[in-house]
Amino acid sequence: MAQTLYILNPLTLKRVHPITKYQSFIWKPAYQETGSFEIVCDVSYFDFFQNDFILEYPRDRNHFGIIQFVNKLREKDVSKLIIKGKMVSDVLSWRIAIDQYEATNKSSTYILEDLINYNFISPANEKRKMGNLTISSKDSTSLLDYTCEKGANVLEELLKICKTTGEGLRVSDKLNGKLNVEIYSGVDRTYSQSANKRIILEQSKGTLKDIDFSIDTENYVNYGYIIGDNDSATGKPVETTYFEDVEQTGWDRREEYFSLTYISKTIQTEDQTVEIETPYYINMLKNECKSQMENLKVQKLLNCEMNLNSRFKYREDFNLGDIITVRDEETGYSTDVRLINVIESIGSDGEDISVILGDKSPLTFDKIKLIKERGLK
């Protein structure tokens, strides 16, 4: 029997109607992106699928969908609805930072709380208030020197912070009748550690049905030269460099120039302009450079089709954001890699789970359809 889905009123978060008759359902949450979903269902549900209403998938208490596209079409004398949308975290893109914001040596969760409070929960302008959100993030150990420019998109800023710290962003299960906005961390479940349950995915152990992977170094950069805003004391731009862990040399060194002059060295208050101290400003430049260099790493991407009868169960034994060990027996390739996307599909031919592990997901609905056509039953 297909999993029942529910449409929720976005203001009350109460169930409006169940969805039980659908031809296919794809649910694709993501660790450092908004994620997405798609339903193909009976036209009898048309009145209930209103844009910006919320979709609940009861198996996943960490994510909710928001309906953004409703399409009625007719094929082979049969009418159907195609419903698409993103995860509810996309609502964080509906607000901009109305004022410039600075945080010095603060945790990512501290910054999240400020940005959400100032722009959603307790804004100065009551008309900007979104009363169905709350914050429940556990305090992060990642400390940042950070500036958010006036007019920046709040969601883009939060995802940038997550890519800098290696954390994830989600709007999760209801708390006191509201949706939780939280930054969270995946768990290290690799073979080399012993603190948590180890997850090793490989074909011969029956945990994987198939694995495709790619390793791409074309755009790899490991050393950044940075130029920032002018320093009032010298009249010259602030310049610094950034590298992660160990500075590479010779054949192993890949350099790039980052012009970050848009990150202001001053903060404008109501009655004065304040200049950020240079050491803190340099940390801000390095944090931004680190965030940009996340897209310039050696790109590892693994597409694994799970065996649903495996002893390792998604949500029970591991979850989105966890770091696990994957071994491909055909090539001998083994790596520890983060789970960045999950694709759950339910249709007339059964249920499937594919996990995407790596640094950056390239998947769109077109890609999902391509995978489906290729034979993910």
Side-chain angles (χ1 to χ4, degrees):
M1 183 177 179
Q3 171 68 49
T4 299
L5 311 174
Y6 295 93
I7 299 172
L8 308 183
N9 183 301
L11 301 180
T12 64
L13 300 183
K14 292 183 178 180
R15 290 175 174 174
V16 174
H17 202 276
I19 305 298
T20 58
K21 294 185 290 184
Y22 52 87
Q23 287 75 56
S24 65
F25 170 60
I26 297 173
W27 187 254
K28 189 173 77 75
Y31 186 59
Q32 293 177 338
E33 299 174 1
T34 52
S36 54
F37 69 89
E38 180 180 284
I39 309 170
V40 178
C41 67
D42 193 271
V43 293
S44 61
Y45 293 113
F46 178 78
D47 288 342
F48 303 105
F49 281 116
Q50 299 184 43
N51 283 344
D52 299 341
F53 267 44
I54 291 174
L55 181 72
E56 177 187 357
Y57 176 39
R59 290 180 183 173
D60 190 348
R61 307 315 306 171
N62 290 322
H63 301 88
F64 290 83
I66 182 165
I67 297 165
Q68 297 175 320
F69 177 84
V70 179
N71 177 215
K72 181 257 183 182
L73 57 84
R74 190 170 179 84
E75 290 181 348
K76 297 180 180 179
D77 297 325
V78 177
S79 296
K80 60 183 178 181
L81 294 179
I82 297 178
I83 313 298
K84 296 181 182 181
K86 293 184 178 180
M87 298 303 157
V88 174
S89 55
D90 191 59
V91 303
L92 303 180
S93 70
W94 296 1
R95 297 288 186 276
I96 62 168
I98 206 69
D99 294 303
Q100 188 177 18
Y101 169 81
E102 177 199 0
T104 302
N105 200 33
K106 299 297 185 182
S107 69
S108 56
T109 47
Y110 180 97
I111 298 169
L112 165 78
E113 289 177 4
D114 276 356
L115 290 177
I116 297 300
N117 276 323
Y118 294 159
N119 297 289
F120 290 87
I121 297 176
S122 304
N125 181 350
E126 277 288 316
K127 293 182 178 180
R128 303 183 71 228
K129 184 174 181 177
M130 195 173 285
N132 56 354
L133 295 181
T134 189
I135 307 168
S136 65
S137 292
K138 296 180 180 178
D139 197 28
S140 171
T141 58
S142 301
L143 301 179
L144 301 169
D145 292 328
Y146 166 79
T147 294
C148 177
E149 298 295 334
K150 181 177 181 178
N153 183 278
V154 174
L155 176 62
E156 291 177 2
E157 290 299 305
L158 292 175
L159 291 177
K160 185 191 302 181
I161 290 170
C162 288
K163 290 174 182 177
T164 300
T165 62
E167 295 168 305
L169 177 70
R170 66 190 178 196
V171 176
S172 60
D173 201 359
K174 294 173 286 187
L175 178 68
N176 299 323
K178 298 184 178 183
L179 293 167
N180 284 332
V181 183
E182 60 180 337
I183 284 179
Y184 69 104
S185 296
V187 177
D188 184 354
R189 301 192 181 279
T190 58
Y191 176 78
S192 59
Q193 58 80 44
S194 58
N196 305 303
K197 182 174 183 177
R198 294 169 174 164
I199 303 295
I200 301 97
L201 301 182
E202 51 191 332
Q203 294 102 321
S204 67
K205 303 296 184 181
T207 52
L208 286 183
K209 294 171 70 174
D210 198 9
I211 174 173
D212 296 330
F213 69 87
S214 61
I215 306 168
D216 184 356
T217 62
E218 180 180 1
N219 298 314
Y220 176 44
V221 171
N222 57 31
Y223 193 93
Y225 290 94
I226 307 169
I227 184 169
D229 197 6
N230 285 346
D231 187 317
S232 63
T234 64
K236 296 180 180 180
V238 176
E239 296 187 48
T240 187
T241 61
Y242 172 78
F243 60 89
E244 190 170 358
D245 300 327
V246 178
E247 181 176 357
Q248 300 296 324
T249 62
W251 185 263
D252 297 322
R253 188 178 178 102
R254 307 280 191 93
E255 300 176 346
E256 185 62 84
Y257 176 78
F258 294 87
S259 177
L260 306 181
T261 55
Y262 57 85
I263 299 180
S264 177
K265 198 173 185 296
T266 60
I267 297 176
Q268 185 68 47
T269 64
E270 290 183 0
D271 54 0
Q272 62 179 330
T273 300
V274 180
E275 183 160 355
I276 302 170
E277 294 181 25
T278 298
Y280 296 127
Y281 181 68
I282 287 175
N283 285 339
M284 293 173 183
L285 294 176
K286 288 185 176 183
N287 286 335
E288 174 64 15
C289 183
K290 179 180 180 181
S291 177
Q292 292 191 22
M293 284 175 61
E294 284 296 310
N295 295 323
L296 300 172
K297 287 184 173 181
V298 175
Q299 296 293 320
K300 293 185 292 184
L301 187 67
L302 296 91
N303 185 353
C304 304
E305 184 183 2
M306 294 289 299
N307 184 343
L308 296 182
N309 297 317
S310 164
R311 59 192 175 98
F312 295 136
K313 304 294 185 184
Y314 172 57
R315 294 197 187 94
E316 295 179 18
D317 300 300
F318 64 97
N319 219 318
L320 195 64
D322 289 355
I323 304 172
I324 62 181
T325 299
V326 179
R327 296 171 178 164
D328 179 45
E329 290 154 357
E330 289 184 312
T331 61
Y333 178 69
S334 177
T335 186
D336 297 334
V337 67
R338 188 182 297 279
L339 176 53
I340 57 173
N341 286 90
V342 176
I343 304 171
E344 293 183 78
S345 59
I346 302 175
S348 58
D349 54 353
E351 300 185 20
D352 301 309
I353 296 180
S354 291
V355 294
I356 311 299
L357 305 104
D359 302 305
K360 185 180 179 183
S361 170
L363 288 181
T364 63
F365 275 117
D366 290 338
K367 181 70 170 179
I368 292 172
K369 290 174 182 174
L370 175 62
I371 292 173
K372 193 74 178 176
E373 289 166 2
R374 255 177 35 199
L376 294 191
K377 301 296 185 184

